[in-house]
Amino acid sequence: MTTRSGTARTRTTRETNGWAGCLAVVAGFVTGLAVWGVGAAPGLRGAFEGERDWSLLYLDGTVMIFGIPAVALGVWALVGGVLRARDRVAAVAVLLALAAVAWGCGEWLEMRTDRFTRGDSW
């Protein structure tokens, strides 16, 4: 009967943390893309006479698509690395952070695209 050495456990933990951090970034990227795609669609499609807001593409889009994964990775590093929490706790913290950021970005985009979805009959 053999037991695993301490270095083997440490290496496995580092590999798990590396893959989990990558998954956090991918989950953040998918969340950012989904929130931006749904929220910015009315402003990019256009309103009366084809009026569009291109800042939703080059400003809000890039901030959400690259910023949300950065938040996910930061939360993963903070909770998993600095606070030395278990992987499950860090994963739950990342999911809660992604949910909060997605809600906030959705509210922001709703405010920004309100004039495209109001449907005023002027």
Side-chain angles (χ1 to χ4, degrees):
M1 191 158 142
T2 61
T3 60
R4 293 171 61 182
S5 67
T7 58
R9 274 191 226 136
T10 305
R11 189 184 74 206
T12 304
T13 304
R14 281 191 211 136
E15 289 174 2
T16 303
N17 285 339
W19 281 105
C22 289
L23 286 176
V25 170
V26 169
F29 178 74
V30 169
T31 302
L33 190 61
V35 168
W36 175 77
V38 170
L44 295 175
R45 274 194 308 254
F48 181 68
E49 294 182 354
E51 176 189 6
R52 292 185 171 98
D53 186 2
W54 291 109
S55 69
L56 290 168
L57 180 64
Y58 64 82
L59 181 65
D60 295 335
T62 55
V63 168
M64 288 181 195
I65 291 173
F66 295 115
I68 293 177
V71 168
L73 186 60
V75 168
W76 179 263
L78 177 69
V79 174
V82 175
L83 300 178
R84 304 255 187 230
R86 301 187 89 160
D87 287 343
R88 291 182 185 134
V89 174
V92 169
V94 167
L95 290 177
L96 289 174
L98 285 177
V101 170
W103 175 79
C105 289
E107 290 294 318
W108 171 258
L109 287 172
E110 185 177 329
M111 180 190 67
R112 295 257 296 137
T113 60
D114 184 42
R115 63 188 172 129
F116 296 104
T117 58
R118 260 184 293 182
D120 290 339
S121 57
W122 283 82

